[in-house]
Amino acid sequence: MIKTDAIIIGAGPVGLFAVHQLGIKGLKSEVIDNLDRAGGQCIELYPEKPIYDIPAITECTGKDLTDNLLQQIKPFKANFHFSERVEEVTQDKNNWIIKTNKNKKFTAPNIIIAGGVGSFEPRKLSLKEAEKFEGKSVFYSVTNKEILKNKNISIFGGGDSALDWALELSNTSNVTLIHRRDEFRGAPHTLSEIKKLQKKGKISIKTPCQLTSIEGDKTINAIEIKYDDEKNEKIKTDVILSFFGLIMKLGPITEWGLNIDKKVISVNTNNFETNKSGIFAVGDICTYPGKLKLILSGFHEVALASVECFKRARPKEKFRFEFTTSSKTIQERLGKLKK
Ligand code: FAD
């Protein structure tokens, strides 16, 4: 069981800044995210788009903002638990206990839910047979490129992920790119590189068609696809990579007894606590009169929530409001002064 002062659910911009606000108050945190990296919507939905309304930053991309937040919270050495979804919450006196889908357990007096629009999960292949091969021969993301070397790989999808991986894996494997439409949505430059490789016979492109069956027992031997004109084709395949985009799921949080309406959690605006003491909701996932789903609103919300977290984690200490410019204690915590 991992003990800490606050468990943060979600490593989007608001969850990341929560680490900072807790950290300057001397509180430790553990961050859990279903994705395999930090950044939430900024990284998953608009990494290269410019944001213009972060105070004092004239312009930055979703990726820049995430990188800067990660840099800013480095001194607090928070532990990140990626690719884990928070499943269960139980109470033990003043503490909350959280269990993830990988059976990791955490305990803390505070939980900060910074879950945004829910955990991002891959949209899966609709073919039922695909389930039994998941994690062995069917993948929705690439976490280990080594296992994909010298294979027959069928890649499904028409967006950037499908195109990028088709291009990259064609160096080491035999790649077939399959899409249900004739047009691809990914970057034109990547597509033109792929078309060049297609001409050289290094990548096959099959459109407009869909997966109809998978052959194999423990591992996949082949797949069958059906074209819009009803023609079928069998393709020798060891691995399927599918990139049909992400869906957002609030998941088991909806069963925690919190006041949830239309996928958002009601909080008070004094400290952004929910109807359960010690469980806070901040960022896009919280609602209150006048709520704006903006990054800067989330930053304000964690500043206030972290004060209440301090009171719960250090009940014998008095909370002292301090400026970072003048507080020696905060500067020590930031590693700016020697202790
Ligand atoms: P998110 O960024 O959604 O992050 C939540 C994280 O929690 C995700 O990584 C998710 O995987 C994780 N999570 C959720 N549930 C669980 C669970 N049960 N277990 C584990 N992990 C979980 N805002 C601005 O202020 N300015 C802009 O210019 C702007 N432009 C935008 C452009 C686009 C295209 C979009 C889509 C949004 C834009 N926004 C903008 C909105 C902004 O991105 C959001 O307000 C912000 O990302 C909210 O941050 P968050 O940390 O609350 O949630």
Side-chain angles (χ1 to χ4, degrees), residues 9-16 32-35 37-42 44-46 49-54 84-87 113-120 249-253 282-285 293-296 298:
I9 305 173
V14 180
L16 295 180
I32 307 167
D33 201 300
N34 193 47
L35 294 171
R37 55 192 171 163
Q41 292 173 54
C42 298
E44 295 308 315
L45 304 181
Y46 57 103
K49 276 202 174 135
I51 311 174
Y52 300 105
D53 56 354
I54 303 298
E84 284 196 53
R85 192 167 93 164
V86 169
E87 294 281 344
I113 306 176
V117 280
S119 64
F120 290 95
K249 277 194 181 165
L250 215 47
I253 291 176
V282 291
D284 279 11
I285 204 164
K293 286 191 181 184
L294 285 176
I295 295 165
L296 73 87

Side-chain angles (χ1 to χ4, degrees), residues 34-255:
N34 193 47
L35 294 171
D36 57 2
R37 55 192 171 163
Q41 292 173 54
C42 298
I43 284 291
E44 295 308 315
L45 304 181
Y46 57 103
E48 300 305 331
K49 276 202 174 135
I51 311 174
Y52 300 105
D53 56 354
I54 303 298
I57 299 178
T58 315
E59 181 182 335
C60 71
T61 64
K63 180 167 184 329
D64 294 336
L65 182 76
T66 305
D67 289 346
N68 286 342
L69 282 165
L70 286 168
Q71 186 62 31
Q72 194 175 18
I73 63 176
K74 232 181 189 173
F76 306 116
K77 299 187 175 75
N79 293 316
F80 285 87
H81 307 268
F82 289 121
S83 305
E84 284 196 53
R85 192 167 93 164
V86 169
E87 294 281 344
E88 240 177 71
V89 70
T90 46
Q91 197 166 12
D92 177 24
K93 294 182 196 133
N94 223 15
N95 285 312
W96 293 103
I97 298 168
I98 265 185
K99 206 167 113 187
T100 69
N101 57 345
K102 293 197 179 156
N103 279 328
K104 224 185 254 174
K105 278 188 167 181
F106 299 82
T107 181
N110 301 294
I111 296 175
I112 297 188
I113 306 176
V117 280
S119 64
F120 290 95
E121 291 178 20
R123 201 181 294 280
K124 300 208 171 163
L125 289 161
S126 51
L127 200 68
K128 195 92 186 99
E129 297 125 80
E131 262 174 44
K132 73 171 183 184
F133 297 108
E134 204 176 310
K136 288 175 257 160
S137 323
V138 171
F139 300 95
Y140 295 99
S141 64
V142 177
T143 47
N144 182 358
K145 278 197 292 183
E146 285 305 303
I147 59 166
L148 301 176
K149 273 190 181 158
N150 305 317
K151 295 267 159 57
N152 294 304
I153 305 178
S154 289
I155 300 183
F156 286 84
D160 283 319
S161 303
L163 296 188
D164 289 348
W165 282 115
L167 196 58
E168 173 148 4
L169 297 173
S170 66
N171 292 321
T172 52
S173 279
N174 186 14
V175 170
T176 308
L177 179 62
I178 305 161
H179 185 36
R180 68 193 157 99
R181 297 209 176 88
D182 280 327
E183 303 78 32
F184 286 86
R185 283 174 289 108
H189 170 72
T190 321
L191 188 56
S192 80
E193 290 296 308
I194 287 179
K195 292 265 162 85
K196 277 186 209 157
L197 291 175
Q198 185 192 21
K199 275 190 191 143
K200 289 183 191 160
K202 295 205 166 157
I203 288 184
S204 310
I205 301 180
K206 312 276 179 191
T207 64
C209 50
Q210 301 203 38
L211 179 67
T212 48
S213 69
I214 300 177
E215 273 180 24
D217 183 18
K218 288 205 168 87
T219 53
I220 297 178
N221 311 322
I223 59 164
E224 195 162 274
I225 53 170
K226 187 178 190 176
Y227 289 86
D228 281 3
D229 63 6
E230 304 288 307
K231 203 179 80 193
N232 291 304
E233 185 179 346
K234 201 166 170 173
I235 300 168
K236 201 166 173 242
T237 299
D238 307 306
V239 171
I240 295 178
L241 292 179
S242 171
F243 300 105
F244 291 157
L246 299 164
I247 44 172
M248 288 88 173
K249 277 194 181 165
L250 215 47
I253 291 176
T254 50
E255 287 140 38

